[in-house]
Amino acid sequence: MDWLTLPDVADALAVPVTRVRQMVRDRTLLAKRLDGVLKVPALFIQDGAVLKGLPGLLTVLSDAGYSDDEALDWLFREDPSLPGTPISAMVENRGKEVRRRAQALGF
């Protein structure tokens, strides 16, 4: 998996790095500390914007009780019913399928 530092995300989104930090706090984006540096999965940024449907999906996962690390794991784990990973389905504009699966996690 490719990762972007927060300044790299800020450049890709054309916003200040402080705005990216706020997006992480607001759970619009998830970040993980790797080698002491906060990084965001590169797939979360598409065409100069946050991946369509990602903020809502992160809210659904949070409501289902998933921590940030658990949500990242779920997004990048193979799901034979999709097929592929939930994040790859999101990139392929199949967000409704992914959101339905995430909503079922809470029950």
Side-chain angles (χ1 to χ4, degrees):
M1 172 182 352
D2 291 330
W3 295 86
L4 300 172
T5 63
L6 297 190
D8 292 338
V9 172
D11 288 343
L13 298 176
V15 298
V17 73
T18 54
R19 176 66 184 123
V20 175
R21 289 185 187 283
Q22 185 64 46
M23 293 168 86
V24 170
R25 279 192 297 273
D26 293 344
R27 292 187 56 100
T28 303
L29 287 174
L30 291 182
K32 185 172 186 163
R33 194 166 294 280
L34 300 169
D35 300 321
V37 178
L38 272 179
K39 295 185 180 182
V40 173
L43 288 174
F44 286 4
I45 309 300
Q46 299 288 312
D47 301 322
V50 174
L51 180 63
K52 179 182 173 186
L54 182 65
L57 177 63
L58 296 177
T59 298
V60 170
L61 290 172
S62 176
D63 290 349
Y66 277 56
S67 70
D68 289 355
D69 285 338
E70 291 168 332
L72 279 170
D73 179 59
W74 184 83
L75 282 165
F76 288 92
R77 188 180 329 128
E78 286 290 323
D79 183 341
S81 67
L82 280 173
T85 63
I87 194 66
S88 64
M90 295 285 292
V91 169
E92 295 166 0
N93 204 23
R94 295 186 289 140
K96 286 184 181 181
E97 292 177 59
V98 176
R99 194 169 33 259
R100 278 195 300 269
R101 283 170 178 75
Q103 287 169 333
L105 296 172
F107 298 102

